Short mmCIF file of all heavy atoms in Angstrom, two decimals:
data_model
loop_
_atom_site.label_atom_id
_atom_site.label_comp_id
_atom_site.label_asym_id
_atom_site.label_seq_id
_atom_site.Cartn_x
_atom_site.Cartn_y
_atom_site.Cartn_z
N LYS A 833 0.84 -1.21 0.00
CA LYS A 833 0.00 0.00 0.00
C LYS A 833 0.87 1.25 0.00
O LYS A 833 0.59 2.21 -0.71
CB LYS A 833 -0.94 0.01 1.19
CG LYS A 833 -2.14 -0.89 1.02
CD LYS A 833 -3.10 -0.75 2.19
CE LYS A 833 -4.32 -1.61 1.95
NZ LYS A 833 -5.31 -1.47 3.01
N LYS A 834 1.93 1.24 0.81
CA LYS A 834 2.85 2.38 0.84
C LYS A 834 3.48 2.61 -0.53
O LYS A 834 3.58 3.74 -1.01
CB LYS A 834 3.94 2.18 1.89
CG LYS A 834 3.47 2.35 3.31
CD LYS A 834 4.63 2.15 4.28
CE LYS A 834 4.16 2.26 5.71
NZ LYS A 834 5.27 2.03 6.67
N ILE A 835 3.89 1.52 -1.16
CA ILE A 835 4.49 1.62 -2.50
C ILE A 835 3.46 2.14 -3.49
O ILE A 835 3.76 3.00 -4.32
CB ILE A 835 5.06 0.26 -2.94
CG1 ILE A 835 6.27 -0.11 -2.09
CG2 ILE A 835 5.42 0.27 -4.43
CD1 ILE A 835 6.76 -1.53 -2.27
N TYR A 836 2.23 1.65 -3.40
CA TYR A 836 1.16 2.09 -4.30
C TYR A 836 0.94 3.60 -4.18
O TYR A 836 0.87 4.31 -5.18
CB TYR A 836 -0.13 1.34 -3.98
CG TYR A 836 -1.33 1.86 -4.73
CD1 TYR A 836 -1.54 1.50 -6.06
CD2 TYR A 836 -2.22 2.73 -4.13
CE1 TYR A 836 -2.63 1.99 -6.76
CE2 TYR A 836 -3.31 3.23 -4.82
CZ TYR A 836 -3.51 2.86 -6.13
OH TYR A 836 -4.58 3.36 -6.82
N TYR A 837 0.84 4.11 -2.95
CA TYR A 837 0.61 5.54 -2.75
C TYR A 837 1.80 6.37 -3.23
O TYR A 837 1.63 7.46 -3.77
CB TYR A 837 0.28 5.84 -1.29
CG TYR A 837 -1.09 5.34 -0.89
CD1 TYR A 837 -1.24 4.44 0.14
CD2 TYR A 837 -2.24 5.74 -1.58
CE1 TYR A 837 -2.50 3.95 0.50
CE2 TYR A 837 -3.49 5.27 -1.23
CZ TYR A 837 -3.61 4.37 -0.20
OH TYR A 837 -4.85 3.91 0.15
N LYS A 838 2.98 5.86 -3.05
CA LYS A 838 4.18 6.55 -3.53
C LYS A 838 4.16 6.63 -5.06
O LYS A 838 4.44 7.68 -5.64
CB LYS A 838 5.43 5.80 -3.05
CG LYS A 838 6.72 6.48 -3.37
CD LYS A 838 7.01 7.55 -2.39
CE LYS A 838 8.10 7.14 -1.45
NZ LYS A 838 8.47 8.26 -0.58
N VAL A 839 3.80 5.52 -5.72
CA VAL A 839 3.71 5.49 -7.19
C VAL A 839 2.64 6.46 -7.68
O VAL A 839 2.85 7.20 -8.65
CB VAL A 839 3.45 4.05 -7.69
CG1 VAL A 839 3.07 4.05 -9.16
CG2 VAL A 839 4.66 3.17 -7.45
N GLU A 840 1.49 6.49 -6.99
CA GLU A 840 0.43 7.43 -7.37
C GLU A 840 0.91 8.87 -7.25
O GLU A 840 0.66 9.69 -8.13
CB GLU A 840 -0.81 7.21 -6.49
CG GLU A 840 -1.61 6.01 -6.86
CD GLU A 840 -2.22 6.14 -8.24
OE1 GLU A 840 -2.85 7.16 -8.55
OE2 GLU A 840 -2.04 5.18 -9.03
N SER A 841 1.60 9.18 -6.18
CA SER A 841 2.12 10.53 -5.97
C SER A 841 3.13 10.89 -7.07
O SER A 841 3.09 12.00 -7.63
CB SER A 841 2.77 10.62 -4.60
OG SER A 841 3.38 11.86 -4.41
N LEU A 842 4.01 9.98 -7.37
CA LEU A 842 5.00 10.23 -8.42
C LEU A 842 4.34 10.38 -9.79
O LEU A 842 4.76 11.21 -10.60
CB LEU A 842 6.04 9.10 -8.45
CG LEU A 842 6.99 9.07 -7.25
CD1 LEU A 842 7.81 7.78 -7.26
CD2 LEU A 842 7.89 10.28 -7.22
N SER A 843 3.29 9.62 -10.04
CA SER A 843 2.57 9.72 -11.32
C SER A 843 1.93 11.10 -11.46
O SER A 843 1.98 11.70 -12.53
CB SER A 843 1.50 8.63 -11.41
OG SER A 843 2.08 7.37 -11.49
N ARG A 844 1.34 11.60 -10.38
CA ARG A 844 0.74 12.95 -10.43
C ARG A 844 1.80 14.00 -10.70
O ARG A 844 1.61 14.92 -11.50
CB ARG A 844 0.01 13.26 -9.12
CG ARG A 844 -1.34 12.61 -8.98
CD ARG A 844 -2.14 13.16 -7.80
NE ARG A 844 -1.47 13.01 -6.52
CZ ARG A 844 -1.51 11.91 -5.77
NH1 ARG A 844 -2.19 10.86 -6.17
NH2 ARG A 844 -0.87 11.88 -4.62
N GLU A 845 2.95 13.86 -10.05
CA GLU A 845 4.04 14.82 -10.25
C GLU A 845 4.58 14.74 -11.67
O GLU A 845 4.87 15.77 -12.29
CB GLU A 845 5.16 14.55 -9.23
CG GLU A 845 6.28 15.55 -9.27
CD GLU A 845 5.86 16.96 -8.85
OE1 GLU A 845 4.76 17.17 -8.35
OE2 GLU A 845 6.68 17.87 -9.07
N ILE A 846 4.68 13.56 -12.23
CA ILE A 846 5.13 13.40 -13.63
C ILE A 846 4.15 14.08 -14.57
O ILE A 846 4.55 14.77 -15.51
CB ILE A 846 5.32 11.92 -13.98
CG1 ILE A 846 6.57 11.39 -13.28
CG2 ILE A 846 5.41 11.71 -15.49
CD1 ILE A 846 6.73 9.88 -13.35
N ARG A 847 2.83 13.91 -14.33
CA ARG A 847 1.82 14.58 -15.18
C ARG A 847 1.96 16.09 -15.10
O ARG A 847 1.92 16.79 -16.11
CB ARG A 847 0.42 14.14 -14.79
CG ARG A 847 0.04 12.76 -15.30
CD ARG A 847 -1.46 12.47 -15.14
NE ARG A 847 -1.89 12.44 -13.76
CZ ARG A 847 -1.82 11.38 -12.95
NH1 ARG A 847 -1.32 10.25 -13.41
NH2 ARG A 847 -2.26 11.44 -11.71
N ARG A 848 2.14 16.62 -13.86
CA ARG A 848 2.29 18.07 -13.68
C ARG A 848 3.53 18.58 -14.41
O ARG A 848 3.49 19.59 -15.12
CB ARG A 848 2.38 18.41 -12.19
CG ARG A 848 2.37 19.91 -11.90
CD ARG A 848 2.65 20.19 -10.43
NE ARG A 848 4.02 19.90 -10.06
CZ ARG A 848 5.07 20.68 -10.34
NH1 ARG A 848 4.91 21.79 -11.03
NH2 ARG A 848 6.28 20.35 -9.94
N LEU A 849 4.64 17.88 -14.27
CA LEU A 849 5.89 18.30 -14.91
C LEU A 849 5.80 18.17 -16.44
O LEU A 849 6.35 19.01 -17.16
CB LEU A 849 7.06 17.49 -14.37
CG LEU A 849 7.44 17.80 -12.92
CD1 LEU A 849 8.46 16.79 -12.40
CD2 LEU A 849 7.94 19.22 -12.77
N THR A 850 5.10 17.16 -16.92
CA THR A 850 4.91 17.01 -18.36
C THR A 850 4.10 18.18 -18.92
O THR A 850 4.45 18.72 -19.97
CB THR A 850 4.20 15.67 -18.67
OG1 THR A 850 5.02 14.60 -18.19
CG2 THR A 850 3.96 15.49 -20.15
N GLN A 851 3.05 18.58 -18.21
CA GLN A 851 2.27 19.74 -18.65
C GLN A 851 3.13 21.00 -18.67
O GLN A 851 3.06 21.80 -19.60
CB GLN A 851 1.06 19.95 -17.74
CG GLN A 851 0.00 18.90 -17.90
CD GLN A 851 -1.13 19.06 -16.88
OE1 GLN A 851 -0.98 19.74 -15.86
NE2 GLN A 851 -2.24 18.40 -17.14
N ARG A 852 3.95 21.18 -17.64
CA ARG A 852 4.83 22.36 -17.58
C ARG A 852 5.83 22.34 -18.73
O ARG A 852 6.07 23.36 -19.36
CB ARG A 852 5.55 22.37 -16.23
CG ARG A 852 6.49 23.52 -16.04
CD ARG A 852 5.77 24.84 -15.89
NE ARG A 852 6.73 25.88 -15.64
CZ ARG A 852 6.70 27.06 -16.24
NH1 ARG A 852 5.75 27.37 -17.06
NH2 ARG A 852 7.62 27.96 -15.98
N LEU A 853 6.41 21.18 -18.98
CA LEU A 853 7.36 21.05 -20.09
C LEU A 853 6.70 21.36 -21.42
O LEU A 853 7.26 22.09 -22.24
CB LEU A 853 7.96 19.64 -20.11
CG LEU A 853 8.94 19.34 -21.23
CD1 LEU A 853 10.16 20.25 -21.15
CD2 LEU A 853 9.36 17.89 -21.18
N ASN A 854 5.49 20.85 -21.63
CA ASN A 854 4.77 21.13 -22.87
C ASN A 854 4.51 22.63 -23.02
O ASN A 854 4.63 23.19 -24.11
CB ASN A 854 3.46 20.35 -22.93
CG ASN A 854 3.67 18.88 -23.13
OD1 ASN A 854 4.71 18.45 -23.64
ND2 ASN A 854 2.70 18.07 -22.73
N SER A 855 4.15 23.28 -21.92
CA SER A 855 3.91 24.72 -21.96
C SER A 855 5.18 25.48 -22.33
O SER A 855 5.15 26.38 -23.17
CB SER A 855 3.40 25.19 -20.60
OG SER A 855 3.32 26.59 -20.54
N LEU A 856 6.30 25.10 -21.74
CA LEU A 856 7.57 25.77 -22.05
C LEU A 856 7.98 25.51 -23.50
O LEU A 856 8.48 26.43 -24.17
CB LEU A 856 8.66 25.30 -21.08
CG LEU A 856 8.49 25.75 -19.64
CD1 LEU A 856 9.48 25.03 -18.74
CD2 LEU A 856 8.63 27.25 -19.52
N GLU A 857 7.78 24.30 -23.98
CA GLU A 857 8.09 24.01 -25.39
C GLU A 857 7.24 24.85 -26.32
O GLU A 857 7.73 25.38 -27.31
CB GLU A 857 7.89 22.52 -25.68
CG GLU A 857 8.97 21.64 -25.10
CD GLU A 857 8.69 20.15 -25.31
OE1 GLU A 857 7.53 19.76 -25.55
OE2 GLU A 857 9.66 19.38 -25.23
N ASN A 858 5.95 24.99 -26.00
CA ASN A 858 5.06 25.82 -26.83
C ASN A 858 5.51 27.28 -26.82
O ASN A 858 5.44 27.96 -27.85
CB ASN A 858 3.62 25.71 -26.34
CG ASN A 858 3.00 24.37 -26.64
OD1 ASN A 858 3.44 23.67 -27.55
ND2 ASN A 858 2.00 24.00 -25.89
N GLN A 859 5.97 27.76 -25.67
CA GLN A 859 6.46 29.13 -25.60
C GLN A 859 7.69 29.31 -26.49
O GLN A 859 7.82 30.32 -27.18
CB GLN A 859 6.79 29.51 -24.16
CG GLN A 859 5.59 29.68 -23.28
CD GLN A 859 5.98 29.99 -21.85
OE1 GLN A 859 6.93 30.72 -21.60
NE2 GLN A 859 5.25 29.42 -20.91
N LEU A 860 8.59 28.34 -26.47
CA LEU A 860 9.78 28.42 -27.31
C LEU A 860 9.42 28.42 -28.79
O LEU A 860 9.96 29.20 -29.57
CB LEU A 860 10.72 27.26 -27.02
CG LEU A 860 11.55 27.37 -25.75
CD1 LEU A 860 12.31 26.07 -25.51
CD2 LEU A 860 12.51 28.53 -25.83
N VAL A 861 8.51 27.55 -29.16
CA VAL A 861 8.11 27.45 -30.57
C VAL A 861 7.41 28.73 -31.03
O VAL A 861 7.67 29.24 -32.11
CB VAL A 861 7.19 26.22 -30.78
CG1 VAL A 861 6.54 26.24 -32.15
CG2 VAL A 861 7.99 24.94 -30.60
N SER A 862 6.53 29.26 -30.18
CA SER A 862 5.75 30.43 -30.57
C SER A 862 6.52 31.74 -30.41
O SER A 862 6.14 32.76 -30.98
CB SER A 862 4.46 30.51 -29.74
OG SER A 862 4.76 30.80 -28.39
N GLY A 863 7.58 31.71 -29.60
CA GLY A 863 8.32 32.93 -29.34
C GLY A 863 7.70 33.78 -28.24
O GLY A 863 8.20 34.84 -27.91
N LEU A 864 6.59 33.31 -27.65
CA LEU A 864 5.93 34.04 -26.57
C LEU A 864 6.61 33.72 -25.25
O LEU A 864 7.00 32.59 -25.00
CB LEU A 864 4.47 33.65 -26.45
CG LEU A 864 3.57 33.93 -27.64
CD1 LEU A 864 2.17 33.40 -27.37
CD2 LEU A 864 3.52 35.41 -27.94
N THR A 865 6.75 34.73 -24.41
CA THR A 865 7.26 34.51 -23.07
C THR A 865 6.10 34.74 -22.11
O THR A 865 5.75 35.88 -21.83
CB THR A 865 8.42 35.46 -22.74
OG1 THR A 865 9.44 35.27 -23.71
CG2 THR A 865 8.98 35.19 -21.36
N VAL A 866 5.49 33.67 -21.65
CA VAL A 866 4.36 33.76 -20.74
C VAL A 866 4.88 33.73 -19.31
O VAL A 866 5.59 32.80 -18.93
CB VAL A 866 3.38 32.59 -20.98
CG1 VAL A 866 2.21 32.65 -20.01
CG2 VAL A 866 2.89 32.60 -22.42
N ILE A 867 4.56 34.78 -18.56
CA ILE A 867 4.97 34.85 -17.15
C ILE A 867 3.70 35.10 -16.34
O ILE A 867 3.23 36.24 -16.24
CB ILE A 867 6.01 35.96 -16.92
CG1 ILE A 867 7.23 35.74 -17.84
CG2 ILE A 867 6.43 36.01 -15.45
CD1 ILE A 867 8.26 36.83 -17.80
N PRO A 868 3.10 34.03 -15.81
CA PRO A 868 1.82 34.17 -15.10
C PRO A 868 1.83 35.22 -14.00
O PRO A 868 0.82 35.91 -13.78
CB PRO A 868 1.57 32.78 -14.53
CG PRO A 868 2.38 31.86 -15.38
CD PRO A 868 3.58 32.65 -15.81
N GLU A 869 2.95 35.37 -13.30
CA GLU A 869 3.03 36.35 -12.23
C GLU A 869 2.87 37.77 -12.77
O GLU A 869 2.22 38.61 -12.15
CB GLU A 869 4.36 36.23 -11.47
CG GLU A 869 4.52 34.93 -10.71
CD GLU A 869 4.99 33.77 -11.59
OE1 GLU A 869 5.32 33.97 -12.78
OE2 GLU A 869 5.03 32.64 -11.08
N PHE A 870 3.48 38.04 -13.94
CA PHE A 870 3.33 39.36 -14.57
C PHE A 870 1.89 39.56 -15.02
O PHE A 870 1.32 40.64 -14.85
CB PHE A 870 4.27 39.51 -15.77
CG PHE A 870 5.71 39.81 -15.41
CD1 PHE A 870 6.16 39.86 -14.12
CD2 PHE A 870 6.62 40.06 -16.42
CE1 PHE A 870 7.48 40.14 -13.80
CE2 PHE A 870 7.95 40.35 -16.14
CZ PHE A 870 8.37 40.39 -14.83
N THR A 871 1.30 38.54 -15.62
CA THR A 871 -0.08 38.64 -16.09
C THR A 871 -0.99 39.01 -14.92
O THR A 871 -1.82 39.93 -15.02
CB THR A 871 -0.54 37.32 -16.73
OG1 THR A 871 0.34 37.00 -17.80
CG2 THR A 871 -1.95 37.43 -17.26
N LYS A 872 -0.84 38.32 -13.80
CA LYS A 872 -1.67 38.59 -12.62
C LYS A 872 -1.40 39.99 -12.08
O LYS A 872 -2.34 40.74 -11.77
CB LYS A 872 -1.39 37.54 -11.55
CG LYS A 872 -2.24 37.69 -10.32
CD LYS A 872 -1.96 36.59 -9.32
CE LYS A 872 -2.79 36.78 -8.06
NZ LYS A 872 -2.53 35.75 -7.07
N TYR A 873 -0.12 40.35 -11.97
CA TYR A 873 0.25 41.66 -11.44
C TYR A 873 -0.39 42.79 -12.25
O TYR A 873 -1.03 43.68 -11.69
CB TYR A 873 1.77 41.82 -11.43
CG TYR A 873 2.24 43.16 -10.94
CD1 TYR A 873 2.44 43.40 -9.58
CD2 TYR A 873 2.48 44.20 -11.83
CE1 TYR A 873 2.87 44.64 -9.13
CE2 TYR A 873 2.90 45.44 -11.38
CZ TYR A 873 3.10 45.65 -10.04
OH TYR A 873 3.50 46.88 -9.59
N PHE A 874 -0.22 42.74 -13.57
CA PHE A 874 -0.73 43.83 -14.41
C PHE A 874 -2.25 43.80 -14.53
O PHE A 874 -2.89 44.85 -14.60
CB PHE A 874 -0.07 43.80 -15.79
CG PHE A 874 1.37 44.24 -15.77
CD1 PHE A 874 2.38 43.36 -16.09
CD2 PHE A 874 1.71 45.52 -15.41
CE1 PHE A 874 3.71 43.76 -16.07
CE2 PHE A 874 3.03 45.95 -15.38
CZ PHE A 874 4.04 45.06 -15.70
N THR A 875 -2.84 42.61 -14.54
CA THR A 875 -4.30 42.52 -14.60
C THR A 875 -4.92 43.19 -13.38
O THR A 875 -5.93 43.89 -13.49
CB THR A 875 -4.74 41.04 -14.69
OG1 THR A 875 -4.20 40.48 -15.89
CG2 THR A 875 -6.25 40.91 -14.70
N ASN A 876 -4.29 43.01 -12.23
CA ASN A 876 -4.78 43.64 -11.00
C ASN A 876 -4.57 45.15 -10.98
O ASN A 876 -5.09 45.84 -10.10
CB ASN A 876 -4.12 43.02 -9.77
CG ASN A 876 -4.59 41.62 -9.51
OD1 ASN A 876 -5.70 41.25 -9.89
ND2 ASN A 876 -3.76 40.81 -8.87
N ARG A 877 -3.79 45.67 -11.93
CA ARG A 877 -3.48 47.10 -11.95
C ARG A 877 -4.00 47.81 -13.20
O ARG A 877 -3.57 48.91 -13.51
CB ARG A 877 -1.97 47.30 -11.81
CG ARG A 877 -1.55 47.08 -10.36
CD ARG A 877 -0.09 46.83 -10.19
NE ARG A 877 0.23 46.60 -8.79
CZ ARG A 877 -0.01 45.48 -8.13
NH1 ARG A 877 -0.57 44.45 -8.74
NH2 ARG A 877 0.32 45.35 -6.86
#
């Protein structure tokens, strides 16, 4: 059970990192530099 929960946790982290990697690759291909912190900062202002 401990191993199962560890594998589940690692699988979730792999999915999150894969999504992040895909986002960064898309930014490189498109030439866009997306910085969520800047988007939030300026949207609030």
Side-chain angles (χ1 to χ4, degrees):
K833 282 185 178 183
K834 285 181 183 178
I835 292 170
Y836 172 79
Y837 289 122
K838 186 81 106 174
V839 168
E840 284 295 310
S841 175
L842 290 170
S843 293
R844 282 191 302 275
E845 185 66 10
I846 288 170
R847 283 192 297 275
R848 187 188 70 77
L849 291 171
T850 300
Q851 289 174 343
R852 180 70 177 135
L853 178 62
N854 289 337
S855 173
L856 291 170
E857 286 175 340
N858 289 337
Q859 289 177 38
L860 283 174
V861 168
S862 69
L864 298 177
T865 303
V866 178
I867 304 175
E869 294 82 6
F870 281 4
T871 302
K872 183 178 178 181
Y873 178 87
F874 288 115
T875 299
N876 290 334
R877 284 162 181 77

